Amino acid sequence: MTEDVQTPEVTVEALGPGHAEPLQRFFAGLPEGDRTFIKEDVTDPETVRGWAEDGTARWVATSGDGQIDGYVAVRRLSGWSDHVAELRLVVGGRRRGAGLGRLLARHAVTEAISSGATKLVVEVVAEQGAALALFSGLGFRGEALLEDHIRDRSGQLRDLLVLAHRVDATWSAMDTLGLGEALDGVADPG
Ligand SMILES: CC(C)(COP(=O)(O)OP(=O)(O)OC[C@H]1O[C@@H](n2cnc3c(N)ncnc32)[C@H](O)[C@@H]1OP(=O)(O)O)[C@@H](O)C(=O)NCCC(=O)NCCS
């Protein structure tokens, strides 16, 4: 879907070629510690430029000043896991704790469900309490703990937690999660 979702301060819009530069600035502005927890090498301009053109489901949250404050992606797995969608989410420091992460996560969940995915997963570095709390609040549950599974930029080993959510349960819990409200916003024909 390409419809925008607006709050008074931010607009969530599908990533397009015009976002390549502000998106690079957004990732460059994240503290090193946060970049560690993003799978791709977001410091590589070619990686980010490729995203703007590859047609994968990605959205950014933009402010009135043209800056990007958040990024979320929904990647469908392939082959025998093509019913599974993986979410990736990051919010910039100046907007944290104001509900933007939840807004983007709900948007991504809604889009993943609309695309037909029946299982949603998110990989969270075990120490990321904020991400764990956010996705737990949306009904995700720990499904696997992969010990020493990733290395941060300093080479230190970290545990990775795979959180998962079954879409059947999501639909039945729609009102509880407030996703119906999110769907209303996405379905706005304007
Ligand atoms: C996880 C992240 C996206 C949260 O973004 P955010 O905009 O600050 O989150 P929100 O303000 O929407 O908070 C939503 C919920 O998350 C939880 N949360 C957010 N920040 C938290 C913190 N510092 N400590 C504990 N819980 C926190 C709370 O449950 C919160 O709900 P509440 O406000 O009702 O208590 C952000 O911290 C981030 O980008 N982290 C680095 C990347 C990452 O770990 N991504 C997830 C894996 S892909």
Side-chain angles (χ1 to χ4, degrees):
M1 284 202 196
T2 55
E3 291 90 345
D4 296 348
V5 178
Q6 294 198 344
T7 71
E9 291 173 0
V10 292
T11 301
V12 178
E13 51 192 313
L15 183 71
H19 294 123
E21 282 188 20
L23 191 59
Q24 281 168 37
R25 279 199 297 277
F26 167 71
F27 285 125
L30 289 174
E32 174 65 34
D34 284 352
R35 281 205 298 270
T36 295
F37 301 126
I38 302 169
K39 211 185 255 187
E40 295 103 335
D41 182 4
V42 291
T43 56
D44 176 11
E46 282 309 314
T47 302
V48 176
R49 248 197 299 278
W51 284 354
E53 289 157 12
D54 74 356
T56 305
R58 306 174 200 271
W59 296 267
V60 290
T62 53
S63 301
D65 61 8
Q67 285 196 52
I68 287 176
D69 283 311
Y71 163 86
V72 70
V74 177
R75 189 177 71 92
R76 253 329 239 278
L77 304 192
S78 59
W80 64 9
S81 292
D82 64 4
H83 58 294
V84 181
E86 183 193 346
L87 275 51
R88 296 186 194 165
L89 169 70
V90 63
V91 170
R94 71 173 187 162
R95 290 276 185 184
R96 287 214 181 147
L100 183 54
R102 187 186 283 115
L103 176 80
L104 287 172
R106 280 181 177 170
H107 182 72
V109 166
T110 304
E111 294 284 345
I113 293 170
S114 301
S115 78
T118 55
K119 180 179 180 183
L120 315 182
V121 295
V122 60
E123 295 181 349
V124 173
V125 178
E127 295 89 345
Q128 286 292 82
L132 187 55
L134 191 162
F135 283 103
S136 297
L138 288 175
F140 284 69
R141 297 288 171 258
E143 198 168 79
L145 176 66
L146 308 178
E147 293 181 2
D148 291 345
H149 198 68
I150 58 171
R151 269 176 292 113
D152 65 21
R153 299 260 190 271
S154 67
Q156 196 180 338
L157 294 171
R158 307 274 188 149
D159 297 347
L160 191 71
L161 190 57
V162 181
L163 306 178
H165 196 43
R166 311 293 164 147
V167 170
D168 285 350
T170 303
W171 282 113
S172 63
M174 206 68 160
D175 288 342
T176 317
L177 298 174
L179 287 173
E181 205 180 301
L183 262 180
D184 288 343
V186 171
D188 182 359

